[in-house]
Amino acid sequence: MTTDTLNYVRGSMIDAEAAPSSQVGVTHWLRTKLFATPKDIILTVLAIALLVYIIPPMIEWLFIHAAWTGTDRTACLTVAQGGALPDGQSGACWAFVNAKFEQFMFGRYPEDQRWRPLLVLASFIVLLIPMLIPKAPNKALNALLLFIVLPFVSFFLLVGGYFGLPQVETQLWGGLMVTLILSFFGITVSLPFGILLALGRRSNMPVIKTLCVTFIEVIRGIPLITVLFFASIMLPLFLPDGWTFDKFLRALVGVSLFASAYMAEVIRGGLQAIPKGQYEGADSLGLNYWQKTRLIVLPQALKLVIPGIVNTFIGLFKDTSLVSIIGMFDLLGIVNLNQSDANWATPVTPVTGYIFAGFVFWIFCFGMSRYSLFMERHLDTGHKK
């Protein structure tokens, strides 16, 4: 009796072959993304023509013909205007930004005490980096130091008056320092308060639900400028004689409450997106309300609304410029203030200042948006095996 070998059965898998050259590379990308249809071809050609028309003059104005150094306005004026530049030449006045850079960062904070905000910034960066790394250890301790300990330490360090540090009134604060403090405090407060408000709005207890709905709808129906104006001007009128709060503290409270109301609606959208079966499954395990919310519902809801949460954070970061209505000067406000300096009064000074402020805002907002995309990909388990 003989055994025949079945030749049509392979003993190993065929090695994967390389993709056809027509389906990979730059040529394939250009053909499929930019020149796939006649409509795409027309739009691509128009876009390229527009970029060729705009970008070279922009580069010349921002960099090539720009004034990078100088001690006063003459560095950014032409000869006909009383300056040193050739007639007909126009460029950005980066000398103005260079001369006012420290004020843009710290406002009128005393120069000999600026090591204090720099120390706070360094501590913030040291604690923030491991917090943003998903696999970094000791997350609970890191969060405690970043969101609880650091704000208290920063308050005593920045304000002073304790431990031999000279007191620096908040009226002297300004620039990017104010923008970062307002946005960080608002983000830190708005997320947990927003979660509580969202849970309260979905509560079955009538009193709590009514209070949360009233707060959310009233705050969301009022512009932030009105909230800040009320916190700064009107609130002291309702306080007893002798009671007062620092203007900067009032701005912190107003911004935080405003952001909390918007955050609550974002979180509520995530809670409504959780299937009913998740609640029933948690109930079947015998979990109480807070266990079910903390372990089952909230982790899924927060993952679903990461884009909305980050969008609220970005909006809050940009809205800090509105504190100028109550006499506080953030980055944009301090740029506007310094444009009135007669030593730097030129036709290009305001535009240069706004470009600098816009670029700084863009860096922070773009960074938050990119980190949001990273966290979405990291937490996306829908297609993982």
Side-chain angles (χ1 to χ4, degrees), residues 28-85:
H28 171 71
W29 185 86
L30 291 174
R31 187 174 64 252
T32 56
K33 301 296 184 180
L34 302 181
F35 303 100
T37 64
K39 178 182 177 181
D40 291 341
I41 295 174
I42 294 174
L43 293 176
T44 299
V45 172
L46 291 176
I48 293 175
L50 181 62
L51 292 176
V52 171
Y53 178 77
I54 292 177
I55 291 180
M58 185 181 299
I59 293 177
E60 288 185 358
W61 193 88
L62 288 174
F63 303 106
I64 299 177
H65 293 161
W68 294 93
T69 58
T71 57
D72 55 25
R73 60 197 296 267
T74 58
C76 303
L77 294 175
T78 62
V79 174
Q81 295 171 331
L85 298 178

Short mmCIF file of all heavy atoms in Angstrom, two decimals, residues 28-85:
data_model
loop_
_atom_site.label_atom_id
_atom_site.label_comp_id
_atom_site.label_asym_id
_atom_site.label_seq_id
_atom_site.Cartn_x
_atom_site.Cartn_y
_atom_site.Cartn_z
N HIS A 28 1.38 58.33 -7.16
CA HIS A 28 0.04 57.80 -6.85
C HIS A 28 -0.74 58.77 -5.97
O HIS A 28 -1.93 59.01 -6.19
CB HIS A 28 0.19 56.45 -6.15
CG HIS A 28 -1.10 55.92 -5.60
ND1 HIS A 28 -2.12 55.45 -6.40
CD2 HIS A 28 -1.55 55.80 -4.31
CE1 HIS A 28 -3.13 55.04 -5.65
NE2 HIS A 28 -2.81 55.26 -4.38
N TRP A 29 -0.05 59.36 -4.96
CA TRP A 29 -0.74 60.30 -4.07
C TRP A 29 -1.22 61.53 -4.83
O TRP A 29 -2.35 62.00 -4.63
CB TRP A 29 0.21 60.71 -2.95
CG TRP A 29 -0.43 61.59 -1.91
CD1 TRP A 29 -1.13 61.19 -0.82
CD2 TRP A 29 -0.45 63.02 -1.91
NE1 TRP A 29 -1.58 62.28 -0.12
CE2 TRP A 29 -1.18 63.42 -0.76
CE3 TRP A 29 0.08 64.00 -2.73
CZ2 TRP A 29 -1.38 64.76 -0.44
CZ3 TRP A 29 -0.13 65.32 -2.42
CH2 TRP A 29 -0.84 65.70 -1.28
N LEU A 30 -0.39 62.08 -5.70
CA LEU A 30 -0.78 63.26 -6.47
C LEU A 30 -1.94 62.93 -7.39
O LEU A 30 -2.89 63.73 -7.53
CB LEU A 30 0.41 63.76 -7.29
CG LEU A 30 1.57 64.38 -6.50
CD1 LEU A 30 2.72 64.71 -7.44
CD2 LEU A 30 1.11 65.63 -5.77
N ARG A 31 -1.89 61.74 -8.02
CA ARG A 31 -2.95 61.38 -8.96
C ARG A 31 -4.29 61.15 -8.27
O ARG A 31 -5.34 61.51 -8.80
CB ARG A 31 -2.53 60.12 -9.73
CG ARG A 31 -3.50 59.75 -10.86
CD ARG A 31 -3.02 58.59 -11.69
NE ARG A 31 -2.95 57.36 -10.90
CZ ARG A 31 -1.82 56.79 -10.50
NH1 ARG A 31 -0.65 57.34 -10.82
NH2 ARG A 31 -1.84 55.68 -9.80
N THR A 32 -4.28 60.57 -7.08
CA THR A 32 -5.53 60.26 -6.39
C THR A 32 -6.05 61.41 -5.53
O THR A 32 -7.25 61.53 -5.34
CB THR A 32 -5.33 59.02 -5.51
OG1 THR A 32 -4.25 59.25 -4.59
CG2 THR A 32 -5.04 57.80 -6.37
N LYS A 33 -5.15 62.24 -5.01
CA LYS A 33 -5.57 63.29 -4.09
C LYS A 33 -5.76 64.65 -4.75
O LYS A 33 -6.65 65.42 -4.35
CB LYS A 33 -4.54 63.44 -2.95
CG LYS A 33 -4.32 62.18 -2.14
CD LYS A 33 -5.56 61.76 -1.39
CE LYS A 33 -5.27 60.55 -0.51
NZ LYS A 33 -6.48 60.11 0.23
N LEU A 34 -4.95 64.96 -5.76
CA LEU A 34 -4.98 66.30 -6.34
C LEU A 34 -5.44 66.35 -7.78
O LEU A 34 -5.96 67.38 -8.23
CB LEU A 34 -3.58 66.94 -6.24
CG LEU A 34 -2.99 67.07 -4.83
CD1 LEU A 34 -1.62 67.72 -4.89
CD2 LEU A 34 -3.91 67.85 -3.91
N PHE A 35 -5.26 65.27 -8.53
CA PHE A 35 -5.59 65.29 -9.96
C PHE A 35 -6.46 64.12 -10.35
O PHE A 35 -6.35 63.56 -11.44
CB PHE A 35 -4.29 65.27 -10.79
CG PHE A 35 -3.35 66.41 -10.48
CD1 PHE A 35 -2.26 66.21 -9.65
CD2 PHE A 35 -3.57 67.67 -11.01
CE1 PHE A 35 -1.40 67.26 -9.36
CE2 PHE A 35 -2.72 68.71 -10.73
CZ PHE A 35 -1.63 68.51 -9.90
N ALA A 36 -7.37 63.72 -9.46
CA ALA A 36 -8.20 62.54 -9.74
C ALA A 36 -9.28 62.83 -10.78
O ALA A 36 -9.58 61.98 -11.61
CB ALA A 36 -8.84 62.05 -8.44
N THR A 37 -9.87 64.01 -10.74
CA THR A 37 -10.95 64.37 -11.65
C THR A 37 -10.66 65.74 -12.25
O THR A 37 -9.81 66.49 -11.74
CB THR A 37 -12.29 64.40 -10.91
OG1 THR A 37 -12.25 65.44 -9.91
CG2 THR A 37 -12.58 63.06 -10.23
N PRO A 38 -11.34 66.09 -13.34
CA PRO A 38 -11.15 67.44 -13.91
C PRO A 38 -11.42 68.55 -12.89
O PRO A 38 -10.73 69.57 -12.87
CB PRO A 38 -12.14 67.48 -15.07
CG PRO A 38 -12.28 66.05 -15.47
CD PRO A 38 -12.18 65.24 -14.21
N LYS A 39 -12.41 68.34 -12.02
CA LYS A 39 -12.70 69.33 -10.99
C LYS A 39 -11.53 69.47 -10.03
O LYS A 39 -11.14 70.60 -9.66
CB LYS A 39 -13.96 68.92 -10.22
CG LYS A 39 -14.33 69.87 -9.10
CD LYS A 39 -15.56 69.36 -8.36
CE LYS A 39 -15.89 70.27 -7.18
NZ LYS A 39 -17.08 69.78 -6.42
N ASP A 40 -10.95 68.33 -9.62
CA ASP A 40 -9.79 68.39 -8.72
C ASP A 40 -8.61 69.08 -9.39
O ASP A 40 -7.86 69.82 -8.73
CB ASP A 40 -9.39 66.97 -8.31
CG ASP A 40 -10.42 66.32 -7.40
OD1 ASP A 40 -11.24 67.06 -6.82
OD2 ASP A 40 -10.42 65.09 -7.29
N ILE A 41 -8.41 68.84 -10.67
CA ILE A 41 -7.31 69.46 -11.40
C ILE A 41 -7.46 70.98 -11.40
O ILE A 41 -6.50 71.72 -11.14
CB ILE A 41 -7.22 68.91 -12.84
CG1 ILE A 41 -6.86 67.42 -12.82
CG2 ILE A 41 -6.20 69.69 -13.66
CD1 ILE A 41 -6.90 66.78 -14.18
N ILE A 42 -8.67 71.45 -11.69
CA ILE A 42 -8.92 72.90 -11.74
C ILE A 42 -8.68 73.53 -10.37
O ILE A 42 -8.01 74.56 -10.23
CB ILE A 42 -10.34 73.19 -12.24
CG1 ILE A 42 -10.49 72.73 -13.70
CG2 ILE A 42 -10.68 74.67 -12.11
CD1 ILE A 42 -11.90 72.85 -14.23
N LEU A 43 -9.23 72.90 -9.31
CA LEU A 43 -9.07 73.44 -7.96
C LEU A 43 -7.61 73.41 -7.52
O LEU A 43 -7.13 74.35 -6.86
CB LEU A 43 -9.93 72.65 -6.98
CG LEU A 43 -11.45 72.78 -7.14
CD1 LEU A 43 -12.19 71.88 -6.16
CD2 LEU A 43 -11.88 74.23 -6.94
N THR A 44 -6.88 72.36 -7.87
CA THR A 44 -5.47 72.26 -7.50
C THR A 44 -4.65 73.35 -8.18
O THR A 44 -3.81 74.01 -7.55
CB THR A 44 -4.92 70.88 -7.88
OG1 THR A 44 -5.65 69.87 -7.17
CG2 THR A 44 -3.45 70.78 -7.53
N VAL A 45 -4.90 73.56 -9.47
CA VAL A 45 -4.17 74.59 -10.20
C VAL A 45 -4.47 75.97 -9.63
O VAL A 45 -3.56 76.80 -9.44
CB VAL A 45 -4.51 74.53 -11.71
CG1 VAL A 45 -3.90 75.73 -12.44
CG2 VAL A 45 -3.99 73.23 -12.31
N LEU A 46 -5.75 76.24 -9.31
CA LEU A 46 -6.11 77.53 -8.73
C LEU A 46 -5.47 77.73 -7.35
O LEU A 46 -5.00 78.82 -7.04
CB LEU A 46 -7.64 77.65 -8.62
CG LEU A 46 -8.41 77.75 -9.94
CD1 LEU A 46 -9.91 77.77 -9.68
CD2 LEU A 46 -8.00 79.01 -10.70
N ALA A 47 -5.44 76.66 -6.56
CA ALA A 47 -4.84 76.76 -5.22
C ALA A 47 -3.34 77.03 -5.32
O ALA A 47 -2.79 77.86 -4.58
CB ALA A 47 -5.09 75.48 -4.43
N ILE A 48 -2.66 76.34 -6.24
CA ILE A 48 -1.23 76.56 -6.42
C ILE A 48 -0.96 77.98 -6.89
O ILE A 48 -0.03 78.65 -6.41
CB ILE A 48 -0.65 75.53 -7.41
CG1 ILE A 48 -0.72 74.13 -6.80
CG2 ILE A 48 0.80 75.88 -7.77
CD1 ILE A 48 -0.28 73.03 -7.75
N ALA A 49 -1.78 78.47 -7.83
CA ALA A 49 -1.60 79.84 -8.33
C ALA A 49 -1.80 80.85 -7.21
O ALA A 49 -1.06 81.85 -7.10
CB ALA A 49 -2.57 80.11 -9.47
N LEU A 50 -2.80 80.60 -6.34
CA LEU A 50 -3.05 81.51 -5.23
C LEU A 50 -1.89 81.51 -4.24
O LEU A 50 -1.47 82.58 -3.76
CB LEU A 50 -4.35 81.11 -4.51
CG LEU A 50 -4.78 81.99 -3.33
CD1 LEU A 50 -5.05 83.41 -3.79
CD2 LEU A 50 -6.01 81.40 -2.64
N LEU A 51 -1.34 80.34 -3.96
CA LEU A 51 -0.20 80.26 -3.05
C LEU A 51 1.03 80.95 -3.63
O LEU A 51 1.77 81.64 -2.90
CB LEU A 51 0.12 78.80 -2.74
CG LEU A 51 -0.92 78.03 -1.91
CD1 LEU A 51 -0.52 76.57 -1.78
CD2 LEU A 51 -1.11 78.67 -0.55
N VAL A 52 1.26 80.77 -4.93
CA VAL A 52 2.40 81.44 -5.57
C VAL A 52 2.24 82.95 -5.53
O VAL A 52 3.22 83.69 -5.39
CB VAL A 52 2.55 80.94 -7.02
CG1 VAL A 52 3.58 81.77 -7.78
CG2 VAL A 52 2.96 79.47 -7.04
N TYR A 53 0.99 83.41 -5.61
CA TYR A 53 0.72 84.85 -5.58
C TYR A 53 0.87 85.43 -4.17
O TYR A 53 1.31 86.57 -4.01
CB TYR A 53 -0.69 85.11 -6.11
CG TYR A 53 -1.11 86.55 -6.08
CD1 TYR A 53 -0.65 87.46 -7.02
CD2 TYR A 53 -1.97 87.01 -5.08
CE1 TYR A 53 -1.03 88.79 -6.99
CE2 TYR A 53 -2.37 88.34 -5.03
CZ TYR A 53 -1.89 89.23 -5.99
OH TYR A 53 -2.28 90.55 -5.95
N ILE A 54 0.53 84.63 -3.14
CA ILE A 54 0.49 85.16 -1.78
C ILE A 54 1.79 84.92 -1.02
O ILE A 54 2.30 85.82 -0.34
CB ILE A 54 -0.70 84.53 -1.00
CG1 ILE A 54 -2.02 85.01 -1.57
CG2 ILE A 54 -0.60 84.87 0.49
CD1 ILE A 54 -3.23 84.38 -0.90
N ILE A 55 2.35 83.72 -1.10
CA ILE A 55 3.46 83.34 -0.22
C ILE A 55 4.73 84.16 -0.44
O ILE A 55 5.33 84.64 0.54
CB ILE A 55 3.73 81.83 -0.35
CG1 ILE A 55 2.56 81.04 0.24
CG2 ILE A 55 5.04 81.45 0.34
CD1 ILE A 55 2.74 79.54 0.17
N PRO A 56 5.22 84.37 -1.68
CA PRO A 56 6.47 85.15 -1.82
C PRO A 56 6.40 86.55 -1.23
O PRO A 56 7.32 86.95 -0.49
CB PRO A 56 6.69 85.16 -3.34
CG PRO A 56 6.02 83.92 -3.83
CD PRO A 56 4.82 83.77 -2.97
N PRO A 57 5.33 87.35 -1.50
CA PRO A 57 5.27 88.67 -0.85
C PRO A 57 5.18 88.56 0.68
O PRO A 57 5.73 89.41 1.40
CB PRO A 57 4.01 89.30 -1.43
CG PRO A 57 3.76 88.57 -2.70
CD PRO A 57 4.23 87.18 -2.47
N MET A 58 4.49 87.53 1.16
CA MET A 58 4.38 87.35 2.61
C MET A 58 5.74 87.06 3.24
O MET A 58 6.08 87.61 4.29
CB MET A 58 3.40 86.21 2.92
CG MET A 58 3.11 86.00 4.39
SD MET A 58 1.98 84.62 4.67
CE MET A 58 0.54 85.21 3.76
N ILE A 59 6.52 86.19 2.59
CA ILE A 59 7.85 85.87 3.10
C ILE A 59 8.74 87.12 3.07
O ILE A 59 9.51 87.37 4.01
CB ILE A 59 8.48 84.74 2.28
CG1 ILE A 59 7.70 83.43 2.51
CG2 ILE A 59 9.95 84.54 2.63
CD1 ILE A 59 8.18 82.27 1.68
N GLU A 60 8.66 87.90 2.00
CA GLU A 60 9.44 89.13 1.93
C GLU A 60 9.09 90.08 3.05
O GLU A 60 9.95 90.67 3.69
CB GLU A 60 9.23 89.80 0.57
CG GLU A 60 9.89 89.08 -0.60
CD GLU A 60 9.74 89.86 -1.89
OE1 GLU A 60 9.08 90.94 -1.86
OE2 GLU A 60 10.25 89.41 -2.92
N TRP A 61 7.77 90.25 3.30
CA TRP A 61 7.34 91.21 4.32
C TRP A 61 7.69 90.72 5.72
O TRP A 61 8.13 91.50 6.57
CB TRP A 61 5.83 91.42 4.22
CG TRP A 61 5.35 92.60 5.01
CD1 TRP A 61 5.27 93.89 4.61
CD2 TRP A 61 4.88 92.57 6.37
NE1 TRP A 61 4.79 94.68 5.63
CE2 TRP A 61 4.54 93.90 6.72
CE3 TRP A 61 4.72 91.58 7.32
CZ2 TRP A 61 4.04 94.24 7.97
CZ3 TRP A 61 4.24 91.91 8.59
CH2 TRP A 61 3.90 93.23 8.90
N LEU A 62 7.53 89.41 5.97
CA LEU A 62 7.74 88.88 7.32
C LEU A 62 9.22 88.69 7.65
O LEU A 62 9.61 88.85 8.82
CB LEU A 62 7.01 87.54 7.47
CG LEU A 62 5.49 87.58 7.57
CD1 LEU A 62 4.92 86.18 7.56
CD2 LEU A 62 5.04 88.33 8.81
N PHE A 63 10.05 88.38 6.66
CA PHE A 63 11.42 87.98 6.98
C PHE A 63 12.48 88.80 6.22
O PHE A 63 13.39 89.34 6.84
CB PHE A 63 11.61 86.49 6.69
CG PHE A 63 10.66 85.61 7.43
CD1 PHE A 63 9.60 84.99 6.77
CD2 PHE A 63 10.80 85.40 8.79
CE1 PHE A 63 8.72 84.19 7.45
CE2 PHE A 63 9.92 84.58 9.49
CZ PHE A 63 8.87 83.98 8.82
N ILE A 64 12.36 88.86 4.91
CA ILE A 64 13.44 89.44 4.11
C ILE A 64 13.57 90.94 4.35
O ILE A 64 14.66 91.46 4.60
CB ILE A 64 13.23 89.13 2.61
CG1 ILE A 64 13.25 87.61 2.40
CG2 ILE A 64 14.31 89.81 1.77
CD1 ILE A 64 12.96 87.20 0.97
N HIS A 65 12.45 91.67 4.24
CA HIS A 65 12.47 93.12 4.41
C HIS A 65 12.16 93.55 5.84
O HIS A 65 11.98 94.75 6.10
CB HIS A 65 11.47 93.78 3.46
CG HIS A 65 11.85 93.63 2.02
ND1 HIS A 65 10.95 93.80 0.99
CD2 HIS A 65 13.03 93.32 1.43
CE1 HIS A 65 11.56 93.61 -0.17
NE2 HIS A 65 12.83 93.32 0.08
N ALA A 66 12.08 92.63 6.78
CA ALA A 66 11.72 92.96 8.15
C ALA A 66 12.89 93.62 8.88
O ALA A 66 14.05 93.39 8.56
CB ALA A 66 11.29 91.70 8.90
N ALA A 67 12.54 94.45 9.86
CA ALA A 67 13.55 95.07 10.73
C ALA A 67 13.66 94.23 11.99
O ALA A 67 12.72 94.13 12.77
CB ALA A 67 13.13 96.50 11.07
N TRP A 68 14.83 93.62 12.19
CA TRP A 68 15.01 92.67 13.27
C TRP A 68 15.61 93.30 14.53
O TRP A 68 15.41 92.79 15.63
CB TRP A 68 15.89 91.50 12.82
CG TRP A 68 15.25 90.68 11.75
CD1 TRP A 68 15.38 90.82 10.41
CD2 TRP A 68 14.35 89.58 11.94
NE1 TRP A 68 14.62 89.89 9.74
CE2 TRP A 68 13.98 89.11 10.66
CE3 TRP A 68 13.83 88.94 13.07
CZ2 TRP A 68 13.13 88.04 10.48
CZ3 TRP A 68 12.97 87.87 12.89
CH2 TRP A 68 12.62 87.43 11.61
N THR A 69 16.35 94.35 14.37
CA THR A 69 16.99 94.98 15.52
C THR A 69 16.74 96.48 15.48
O THR A 69 16.51 97.07 14.41
CB THR A 69 18.50 94.73 15.52
OG1 THR A 69 19.08 95.22 14.30
CG2 THR A 69 18.80 93.23 15.66
N GLY A 70 16.80 97.10 16.63
CA GLY A 70 16.60 98.54 16.73
C GLY A 70 16.20 98.93 18.14
O GLY A 70 15.74 98.08 18.92
N THR A 71 16.37 100.19 18.45
CA THR A 71 16.06 100.68 19.79
C THR A 71 14.82 101.57 19.83
O THR A 71 14.32 101.87 20.90
CB THR A 71 17.25 101.48 20.34
OG1 THR A 71 17.57 102.56 19.44
CG2 THR A 71 18.46 100.57 20.50
N ASP A 72 14.35 101.99 18.64
CA ASP A 72 13.15 102.81 18.61
C ASP A 72 12.50 102.68 17.23
O ASP A 72 12.89 101.83 16.41
CB ASP A 72 13.45 104.27 18.95
CG ASP A 72 14.53 104.86 18.05
OD1 ASP A 72 14.71 104.37 16.91
OD2 ASP A 72 15.20 105.82 18.47
N ARG A 73 11.51 103.53 16.98
CA ARG A 73 10.70 103.44 15.77
C ARG A 73 11.49 103.68 14.48
O ARG A 73 11.07 103.24 13.40
CB ARG A 73 9.57 104.47 15.86
CG ARG A 73 10.05 105.90 15.98
CD ARG A 73 8.93 106.82 16.49
NE ARG A 73 7.85 106.91 15.56
CZ ARG A 73 7.73 107.83 14.62
NH1 ARG A 73 8.69 108.75 14.48
NH2 ARG A 73 6.68 107.85 13.82
N THR A 74 12.62 104.36 14.55
CA THR A 74 13.37 104.66 13.33
C THR A 74 13.86 103.39 12.63
O THR A 74 14.11 103.41 11.42
CB THR A 74 14.58 105.55 13.66
OG1 THR A 74 15.42 104.88 14.62
CG2 THR A 74 14.12 106.89 14.22
N ALA A 75 13.97 102.28 13.37
CA ALA A 75 14.43 101.03 12.76
C ALA A 75 13.39 100.46 11.81
O ALA A 75 13.74 99.66 10.93
CB ALA A 75 14.75 100.01 13.86
N CYS A 76 12.14 100.90 11.94
CA CYS A 76 11.06 100.35 11.13
C CYS A 76 10.46 101.37 10.18
O CYS A 76 9.41 101.12 9.58
CB CYS A 76 9.97 99.78 12.03
SG CYS A 76 10.55 98.52 13.19
N LEU A 77 11.09 102.54 10.03
CA LEU A 77 10.59 103.58 9.14
C LEU A 77 11.55 103.78 7.97
O LEU A 77 12.75 103.53 8.09
CB LEU A 77 10.43 104.90 9.90
CG LEU A 77 9.36 104.95 11.01
CD1 LEU A 77 9.42 106.28 11.73
CD2 LEU A 77 7.97 104.70 10.43
N THR A 78 11.01 104.23 6.86
CA THR A 78 11.85 104.54 5.70
C THR A 78 12.50 105.90 5.87
O THR A 78 12.17 106.66 6.80
CB THR A 78 11.01 104.51 4.42
OG1 THR A 78 10.00 105.53 4.50
CG2 THR A 78 10.33 103.15 4.23
N VAL A 79 13.39 106.23 4.97
CA VAL A 79 14.07 107.52 5.02
C VAL A 79 13.08 108.66 4.91
O VAL A 79 13.17 109.68 5.62
CB VAL A 79 15.14 107.60 3.91
CG1 VAL A 79 15.76 109.00 3.87
CG2 VAL A 79 16.22 106.54 4.12
N ALA A 80 12.10 108.51 4.03
CA ALA A 80 11.09 109.56 3.86
C ALA A 80 10.25 109.74 5.12
O ALA A 80 9.73 110.83 5.37
CB ALA A 80 10.19 109.24 2.67
N GLN A 81 10.13 108.68 5.91
CA GLN A 81 9.34 108.76 7.14
C GLN A 81 10.19 109.14 8.35
O GLN A 81 9.68 109.21 9.46
CB GLN A 81 8.67 107.40 7.40
CG GLN A 81 7.65 107.01 6.34
CD GLN A 81 7.17 105.58 6.50
OE1 GLN A 81 7.90 104.72 6.99
NE2 GLN A 81 5.95 105.32 6.08
N GLY A 82 11.47 109.35 8.14
CA GLY A 82 12.36 109.73 9.22
C GLY A 82 13.11 108.57 9.83
O GLY A 82 13.65 108.70 10.93
N GLY A 83 13.19 107.46 9.09
CA GLY A 83 13.87 106.29 9.61
C GLY A 83 15.11 105.95 8.82
O GLY A 83 15.70 106.80 8.16
N ALA A 84 15.49 104.67 8.89
CA ALA A 84 16.74 104.24 8.27
C ALA A 84 16.53 103.29 7.10
O ALA A 84 17.49 102.96 6.41
CB ALA A 84 17.62 103.54 9.32
N LEU A 85 15.30 102.84 6.83
CA LEU A 85 15.05 101.90 5.75
C LEU A 85 14.99 102.62 4.41
O LEU A 85 14.58 103.79 4.35
CB LEU A 85 13.75 101.14 6.00
CG LEU A 85 13.68 100.28 7.26
CD1 LEU A 85 12.30 99.64 7.39
CD2 LEU A 85 14.75 99.20 7.25
#
